[in-house]
Amino acid sequence: MLLGIVSDTHDDLDAVEAAVTFFERDGVDAVVHCGDFVAPFSATPFDAGFDFYAVRGNNDGEWNLQSVVDGFGTYLGEAGALSLDGRDIAVYHGTSDVLVDGLVDAGTYDYVLHGHTHAHGIEERGGTVRINPGGLPIPIEGADNVFRVATIDLDADPGADAVDHHVLDRP
């Protein structure tokens, strides 16, 4: 099973379309959005040829986002846990480093997915892999200067080697 991860798309429909196109072309089975769609209209393109899961980000100001996502996928609220292809996965936007570290250090999950910083990253600690797919480029120190998403090969042995980050071009 191939899992796609995206975050912090902030109503940029070009980025959303680039992500959806990439995920469909790459044959992902499911996609997780780690929050910060911003408005519900930018979630609807993810109603595509894969299962879809999402959490709320700190910039997701419209509560209607839940009903939109639940119309074609699964809205996990502020945070959630998934079991996909025998892998335990925690999903949280990432607003609190303390909570991200707590999820990683709990030793309960194979993967902890988060966004918020707009900086891609991967860290393996104590048998858990923390993944930030990145996000839209924003003018803050440490943020990526390109739009990225990530994929996890859930059929591979759990670990950082099962994860790939991908730079996507936006029209």
Side-chain angles (χ1 to χ4, degrees):
M1 177 178 196
L2 190 61
L3 177 65
I5 313 161
V6 62
S7 189
D8 297 282
T9 50
H10 291 265
D11 285 348
D12 185 325
L13 288 179
D14 289 337
V16 169
E17 291 295 340
V20 169
T21 298
F22 172 80
F23 292 140
E24 287 184 316
R25 185 182 65 238
D26 223 40
V28 302
D29 300 290
V31 170
V32 172
H33 195 297
C34 297
D36 276 3
F37 295 93
V38 180
F41 74 83
S42 65
T44 57
F46 289 101
D47 184 2
F50 41 73
D51 293 336
F52 186 71
Y53 305 90
V55 294
R56 181 177 178 79
N58 61 303
N59 287 298
D60 292 332
E62 295 186 44
W63 288 101
N64 189 40
L65 179 61
Q66 178 175 351
S67 62
V68 168
V69 170
D70 278 340
F72 62 88
T74 303
Y75 189 75
L76 301 169
E78 297 294 322
L82 302 170
S83 183
L84 299 173
D85 207 30
R87 305 292 181 229
D88 293 318
I89 302 166
V91 185
Y92 168 61
H93 181 59
T95 312
S96 168
D97 290 338
V98 170
L99 293 180
V100 172
D101 285 339
L103 289 167
V104 172
D105 293 338
T108 305
Y109 303 102
D110 297 300
Y111 297 98
V112 173
L113 314 180
H114 73 92
H116 185 62
T117 64
H118 295 250
H120 76 290
I122 185 165
E123 173 191 18
E124 193 164 358
R125 195 167 73 218
T128 298
V129 180
R130 179 193 63 79
I131 304 165
N132 185 331
L136 289 174
I138 58 173
I140 62 169
E141 188 173 333
D144 290 340
N145 60 358
V146 294
F147 178 54
R148 284 186 172 88
V149 299
T151 53
I152 307 172
D153 180 355
L154 296 176
D155 294 326
D157 289 335
D161 290 342
V163 180
D164 290 305
H165 282 90
H166 309 273
V167 174
L168 300 186
D169 292 324
R170 299 178 337 209

